[in-house]
Amino acid sequence: MHERQFFVYILSSETRTLYIGMTNNLTRRIAEHKRKEIEGFTKQYDVTRLVYREAFLYVGNAIAREKQLKGWRRSKKVDLITASNPLWKDLAADWPLEDAL
């Protein structure tokens, strides 16, 4: 049996504008951001590079973590990203954009 997972993720633009989100399908959601299918902040500011992610088994934990991260000051978010992804590489750079389920 495949356990359902929930993800909290941080996207960045080339100029390091940040966006924090949550989803139950990271591949699909990141593809939607990259294809600019989601109206709003990420489309307007070209925030499409996945620079950080965490996985959770319970939706409540993911929601709590998303709220926690959104409440942090920018420098703390930058430190979190840099600790696991020092070069701020796009972790989804080679993910398929088409047919993402």
Side-chain angles (χ1 to χ4, degrees):
M1 179 178 164
H2 177 48
E3 297 231 6
R4 187 165 191 156
Q5 279 192 306
F6 303 90
F7 299 89
V8 173
Y9 61 93
I10 303 178
L11 299 179
S12 174
S13 67
E14 288 290 333
T15 59
R16 295 198 173 177
T17 298
L18 300 179
Y19 172 84
I20 297 170
M22 193 211 74
T23 185
N24 65 0
N25 186 328
L26 189 62
T27 304
R28 183 201 73 233
R29 188 66 167 163
I30 298 306
E32 290 169 351
H33 284 298
K34 287 183 175 288
R35 292 189 304 245
K36 297 187 175 39
E37 293 175 355
I38 301 166
E39 292 297 326
F41 185 85
T42 58
K43 183 176 179 178
Q44 182 178 352
Y45 294 99
D46 197 28
V47 183
T48 60
R49 299 163 42 84
L50 177 65
V51 293
Y52 182 82
R53 66 180 173 224
E54 290 182 36
F56 298 86
L57 290 178
Y58 302 105
V59 67
N61 293 351
I63 291 168
R65 180 62 166 165
E66 179 190 24
K67 286 180 181 178
Q68 178 187 42
L69 294 180
K70 285 183 173 184
W72 285 5
R73 62 188 189 281
R74 179 179 172 79
S75 61
K76 195 169 177 180
K77 295 172 192 174
V78 167
D79 289 345
L80 178 69
I81 296 163
T82 303
S84 64
N85 186 1
L87 300 177
W88 287 52
K89 290 183 180 180
D90 182 355
L91 303 174
D94 58 352
W95 293 8
L97 292 183
E98 52 288 327
D99 301 325
L101 301 175

